[in-house]
Amino acid sequence: MLHVPENVIVKEVGPRDGLQNEPANVDTADKVAWIDKLSEAGFSYIEISSFVHPKWIPQLSDAKEVAAAIKRHPGITYAALVPNRKGLERAIETDIDEASIFMSSSETHNKKNINKSLEETYPVLKEVVEGAKSAGKSVRGYVSTVFGCPYEGEVPIDQILRVCDRLFEMGIDELSLGDTIGVADPKQVDETLTEIKKRFSFDRIAMHFHNTRGMALANVLVSLEHGVTTFDGSVGGLGGCPYAKGASGNLATDDLIHMLHQMGIGTGIQLEKLTEAARFIQEKINKPLPSHQMQMLNRS
Ligand code: HMG
Ligand code: MG
């Protein structure tokens, strides 16, 4: 018999994780209209953009304009990635609610992604956490390559736990564990969460799966059985990581919502409105989105 939670929080990261890897240039006004549609779908959390260096991720160089133009709904947390003090200064000029800091559990991916060793990263992120907190923002932490690094392979669990410890010590409110290149399998998720659970409360843990090998929903199921209640997804499965070769789209929010609702798990999200948002961005990027829900709709 399955033991799963009654309700789950699904966090939409498509406007950031989806678009950052999208070659098509989406107009600022279209991003804004898309995020407004996502707000209408019933999410309590949307990651709207990223304040990383615009040279590294030009697709999100309009983060400030997007943050200024979206319609804010009460009860929705609007978040953005913030890599360092410079990013925080830019983010604070807008009215985002939450700053998301990020680093990898493996040295090589961290270096390629943010140009620093793990040790060099901690003080940079600590400064962001302190600055964000004193500006009244909550802070989310991401750890990437938890289930495998494209350069180093499997990352030892002790190394992962050390990075998680350091981020929680800084005062982050929630930690999202990233399967950056979509290599996790259900057994590995089970083993990793068994170790995570010994150390951290699942109230403050989210899972961030990419669906490169079609295993994201299977990994969600194992996480649900462990008692995880927060999952990240990207509408239609849009997404990837530009500094992790082979990282394709995130777990598709629409497929996730469909599965959860079929299982009787509440999310507060309306699948029809979510699908409408997926159709909208699919048209703007001018190619079919990979989620099963969208493939089904595109055929009908
Ligand atoms: P750097 O070049 O090492 O930065 O980049 P620096 O501190 O040496 O500064 C160099 C110059 O850049 C300076 O300008 C800074 O002011 C400027 P100068 O003085 O030479 O004129 N600068 C900035 N300008 C605007 N905004 C900023 C900023 N920072 C510095 N924020 C940095 C370091 C982290 C900025 C760079 O490596 C970067 O932007 N990396 C982005 C990588 C990225 O976005 N990756 C994808 C997101 S992570 C992900 O997708 C994984 C996740 O989804 C979870 C999962 O799936 O696992 C979260
Ligand atoms: Mg990601």
Side-chain angles (χ1 to χ4, degrees):
M1 175 145 157
L2 278 179
H3 292 282
V4 293
E6 276 178 30
N7 293 295
V8 153
I9 298 169
V10 176
K11 299 196 166 181
E12 174 60 46
V13 299
R16 190 278 303 174
D17 210 351
L19 286 186
Q20 78 182 11
N21 206 32
E22 188 45 58
N25 188 33
V26 178
D27 291 345
T28 305
D30 290 334
K31 291 177 187 172
V32 170
W34 179 41
I35 293 167
D36 288 347
K37 283 183 188 295
L38 292 168
S39 293
E40 295 288 338
F43 287 101
S44 57
Y45 187 103
I46 306 175
E47 199 171 65
I48 59 165
S49 193
S50 174
F51 292 94
V52 298
H53 199 303
K55 252 192 330 215
W56 287 54
I57 311 281
Q59 297 92 321
L60 302 180
S61 58
D62 58 355
K64 198 171 153 187
E65 290 74 20
V66 169
I70 55 170
K71 186 163 171 250
R72 307 292 173 118
H73 289 231
I76 303 183
T77 300
Y78 295 95
L81 281 197
V82 177
N84 54 16
R85 180 153 52 97
K86 177 79 188 169
L88 183 66
E89 283 163 14
R90 291 171 55 214
I92 281 177
E93 285 169 22
T94 73
D95 195 20
I96 56 153
D97 303 307
E98 181 164 291
S100 304
I101 58 168
F102 60 101
M103 67 182 292
S104 309
S105 58
S106 52
E107 284 290 350
T108 320
H109 183 264
N110 201 61
K111 186 83 187 166
K112 297 219 183 252
N113 198 32
I114 53 176
N115 204 21
K116 288 191 174 44
S117 69
L118 297 183
E119 266 319 312
E120 286 165 347
T121 304
Y122 296 122
V124 174
L125 297 187
K126 187 161 184 275
E127 199 182 3
V128 175
V129 177
E130 288 170 358
K133 291 270 167 172
S134 49
K137 318 283 180 202
S138 53
V139 180
R140 169 178 239 221
Y142 280 103
V143 183
S144 292
T145 64
V146 168
F147 298 95
C149 169
Y151 311 101
E152 298 177 22
E154 203 162 314
V155 183
I157 185 72
D158 287 349
Q159 193 170 318
I160 295 163
L161 294 173
R162 255 196 316 276
V163 175
C164 298
D165 273 340
R166 296 287 291 265
L167 292 177
F168 273 124
E169 279 161 23
M170 288 177 199
I172 60 167
D173 299 284
E174 180 180 76
L175 184 66
S176 179
L177 302 175
D179 180 18
T180 317
I181 52 169
V183 286
D185 65 74
K187 183 163 177 283
Q188 190 190 8
V189 173
D190 175 45
E191 289 164 0
T192 305
L193 286 180
T194 301
E195 294 306 315
I196 294 281
K197 199 188 280 181
K198 290 180 190 160
R199 199 93 142 226
F200 310 109
S201 160
F202 278 173
D203 292 356
R204 299 171 74 197
I205 296 289
M207 300 306 287
H208 180 104
F209 293 115
H210 283 254
N211 198 35
T212 321
R213 291 162 183 81
M215 296 216 271
L217 282 180
N219 293 330
V220 168
L221 187 57
V222 173
S223 310
L224 286 170
E225 283 203 84
H226 267 276
V228 174
T229 53
T230 305
F231 295 90
D232 300 346
S234 164
V235 68
L238 184 77
C241 175
Y243 299 100
K245 195 164 172 276
S248 70
N250 291 78
L251 160 63
T253 317
D254 37 346
D255 288 342
L256 173 64
I257 299 294
H258 173 75
M259 181 179 95
L260 294 173
H261 289 185
Q262 284 291 115
M263 292 171 73
I265 299 172
T267 66
I269 296 159
Q270 298 178 52
L271 187 55
E272 309 73 52
K273 290 203 168 163
L274 179 57
T275 310
E276 205 181 298
R279 277 195 155 129
F280 178 85
I281 195 67
Q282 176 174 263
E283 202 177 292
K284 300 301 169 196
I285 62 168
N286 198 25
K287 70 175 183 218
L289 286 172
S291 72
H292 290 283
Q293 290 294 312
M294 287 308 289
Q295 286 183 45
M296 190 176 73
L297 289 174
N298 287 337
R299 276 198 301 268
S300 61

